[in-house]
Amino acid sequence: MSMDKIVALCKRRGFLFPSSEIYGGLNGFWDYGPLGVELKRNVKEAWWKDMVSGHDELTQIEGTPASFQMVGLDCSIIMHPQVWKCSGHYDLFHDYMVDCKESKKRYRHDQLRGRWLKAKEQSVFISSQTGGEEGLEETQTRALKFLGMRNKQVGDLEWESGMVSLLTVKDFSVVLAPDATQLGTLTEPREFNLMFKTFVGALAGEEGAAFLRPETAQGIFVNFKNVVDSTRVKTPFGIAQIGKSFRNEITPRNFTFRSREFEQMEIEFFCHPNQSQAWYKWWRDRRYQWYTNLGLSPERLILREHEPSELSHYSCGTADIEYAFPFLPQGEFGELEGIAHRADFDLRSHQEGKLVKDGETLIVENGADGKPRHKGSGKDLQYFDDRVRERYWPHVIEPSAGADRGTLAFLCEAYAEEPVEGGEVRTVMRFHPRIAPVKAAIFPLVNREGMPEKAKELYRSLKGDFGVQYDDGGAIGRRYRRQDEAGTPVCITIDGQTMTDNTVTWRDRDSLQQIRVPFGEIETRLRSLLKP
Ligand code: ATP
């Protein structure tokens, strides 16, 4: 399915718009339109209901009965700057970028790829921002241009390799950057911290410097003690948060997939270290199932365990849930969510401080081992289990999802085109009813004979409980098409027969079946559609 068509539908129907569009937009920022805001809210509400307010407390881990509690938080976006020093973001949350001196464009070092070409007695690296077939074609076109050859001479190109990452290239003087005409215009890779910096209050100097949070998780860790002290939660338990995060991504792209402002849905699940591996597996599987329950197809969704070499030093396991987005080359997947076993790393760091990266001079305190550390809070963040009188550092399992990436996956999955009678093509968004922006559309067949009055009465009676729309504009076929593009699961039409026997036409978005349903059954039917 082509991404261009999905992007066009999102604009046409009001799912997504570029931010500040009348001023030319701002790269990496997006606005959700009237349908998009409902879709994304439904995704977040389904998550909150399934993971927090309505989750089933009784479960099993590795065949043993278990139970757990979940509570929520809503923390501030700007936090004490020390939070980011102890979390590691201040020192380590960076990507490497390379700048092109010719085009003035900036790229992520790890995202550029290319092919080696034999040209003018030397090996030249022709780079590209895309992989797969597209990348091959792009490098071919650029190689021809670079050597001043014609299209029909393509067979004369002497490729020395397939597509490889720029990370494998040591000498940049032989690289042709993606938007350059000469070799050797890329700078050496430089670190670029992804946190947005701002200044709090009237202080413009470093004392007032603060950061917009790059993840919601840290708000949960620093409130761990507050939650334990103010509620009756006992391990194992989870704390959840949904909220905006900000990352100054070097190359935002692929629609909302990589944005600079986005929303996360994160859980920190605290448990006894003896049980953490079992809970890790439980959460990994539960989170995968959540996406398939809401309609993502298992053929396009994978659960990928990280290789030991990919794991952070403290992690005992990380898995990504990845989706085959249409903008990715065939066979590639993009991350929707990461589920990480973080052991006791975060709580410990916020209590004891964190080792400073080698070679930096920052405000630090010497730790017990004599090494420089970012100063921790010094507060006791251990957990005391009064049931067994045991004090310990809980282990943490962190399922961390992106609300925008999830929403984008649901949009891509839902998009379908199918031939209908008369040789026409119907575009339909097959959202799961729980996340569909509009649950039912209500139409009077014609604008007379009491039908609009009856339709409006039905509309008003449902509106308090369901997202419904009233539409009396144009031919009924056109109205159906509009609702198909919005992904509305049901259209309910008040017609001539309604006026005599009090039944309506109930039209199903997917099967296109039309049946007669008594007025009194409408609400129950809608309710059962929306059950998890
Ligand atoms: P990536 O490797 O794609 O940059 P990440 O591994 O840095 O992602 P995490 O730090 O694990 O991502 O963040 C958790 C989730 O937050 C991701 O799985 C994703 O859904 C979402 N997310 C992260 N960065 C972005 C972004 N720039 N735009 C939209 N969503 C994002």
Side-chain angles (χ1 to χ4, degrees), residues 1-9 325-327 411-412 415 417:
M1 184 50 61
S2 116
M3 198 60 207
D4 293 345
K5 287 190 174 173
I6 297 172
V7 173
L9 180 133
F325 284 100
F327 49 76
L411 274 165
C412 294
Y415 188 96
E417 287 177 0

Side-chain angles (χ1 to χ4, degrees), residues 320-458:
D320 285 345
I321 298 176
E322 300 179 341
Y323 183 71
F325 284 100
F327 49 76
L328 295 173
Q330 183 77 21
E332 285 191 23
F333 295 80
E335 175 183 329
L336 293 184
E337 170 161 353
I339 298 104
H341 183 314
R342 300 183 60 87
D344 59 8
F345 174 80
D346 306 272
L347 289 176
R348 248 181 207 280
S349 299
H350 284 301
Q351 177 171 338
E352 297 176 344
K354 189 171 175 308
L355 283 181
V356 171
K357 209 175 105 188
D358 277 346
E360 296 227 358
T361 47
L362 296 158
I363 317 290
V364 291
E365 188 186 63
N366 281 347
D369 50 10
K371 292 195 180 144
R373 284 172 191 272
H374 288 300
K375 194 171 186 290
S377 68
K379 300 280 186 290
D380 178 9
L381 299 182
Q382 280 191 314
Y383 176 78
F384 179 67
D385 192 337
D386 54 9
R387 294 164 298 188
V388 289
R389 309 206 61 74
E390 184 187 359
R391 180 179 296 281
Y392 61 90
W393 295 102
H395 274 192
V396 170
I397 313 302
E398 178 188 78
S400 168
D404 307 86
R405 284 197 192 167
T407 303
L408 184 59
F410 289 123
L411 274 165
C412 294
E413 181 80 32
Y415 188 96
E417 287 177 0
E418 55 182 36
V420 281
E421 277 168 37
E424 277 185 45
V425 172
R426 168 173 96 118
T427 303
V428 52
M429 298 298 282
R430 297 188 194 279
F431 294 120
H432 187 289
R434 278 186 82 194
I435 58 169
V438 182
K439 308 304 179 195
I442 294 150
F443 309 150
L445 180 63
V446 289
N447 283 319
R448 55 192 145 78
E449 292 158 30
M451 292 180 211
E453 290 74 16
K454 186 98 180 148
K456 277 199 182 136
E457 182 193 319
L458 176 65

Side-chain angles (χ1 to χ4, degrees), residues 247 249 256-259 262 264 335-337 400 402 405:
R247 295 183 187 178
E249 298 279 359
T256 58
F257 181 83
R258 190 170 299 288
S259 314
F262 54 96
Q264 292 185 307
E335 175 183 329
L336 293 184
E337 170 161 353
S400 168
R405 284 197 192 167

Side-chain angles (χ1 to χ4, degrees), residues 13 35 427 443 469 471-488:
R13 286 292 168 213
L35 285 181
T427 303
F443 309 150
Q469 249 184 22
D471 187 2
D472 60 7
I476 192 92
R478 298 256 314 266
R479 286 184 257 169
Y480 281 149
R481 294 285 176 276
R482 273 202 291 272
Q483 295 299 335
D484 284 345
E485 289 204 343
T488 308

Side-chain angles (χ1 to χ4, degrees), residues 115 128 130-141 159 162-163:
R115 287 200 271 174
S128 149
T130 37
E133 282 298 315
E134 248 178 83
L136 289 177
E137 260 175 51
E138 191 190 322
T139 45
Q140 182 171 299
T141 316
W159 292 110
M163 289 297 260

Side-chain angles (χ1 to χ4, degrees), residues 37-95:
V37 66
E38 297 294 340
L39 174 67
K40 187 170 155 193
R41 279 176 70 101
N42 291 340
V43 170
K44 291 186 288 181
E45 275 165 21
W47 185 88
W48 194 265
K49 181 152 194 302
D50 298 344
M51 297 300 124
V52 188
S53 55
H55 89 280
D56 186 358
E57 302 196 351
L58 296 182
T59 183
Q60 292 205 332
I61 49 167
E62 297 185 329
T64 317
S67 76
F68 67 95
Q69 282 175 285
M70 292 290 300
V71 293
L73 275 180
D74 184 10
C75 307
S76 64
I77 285 172
I78 296 180
M79 301 170 70
H80 194 292
Q82 199 65 14
V83 169
W84 308 112
K85 292 187 175 164
C86 290
S87 70
H89 288 84
Y90 187 86
D91 289 332
L92 302 170
F93 194 55
H94 47 64
D95 282 332

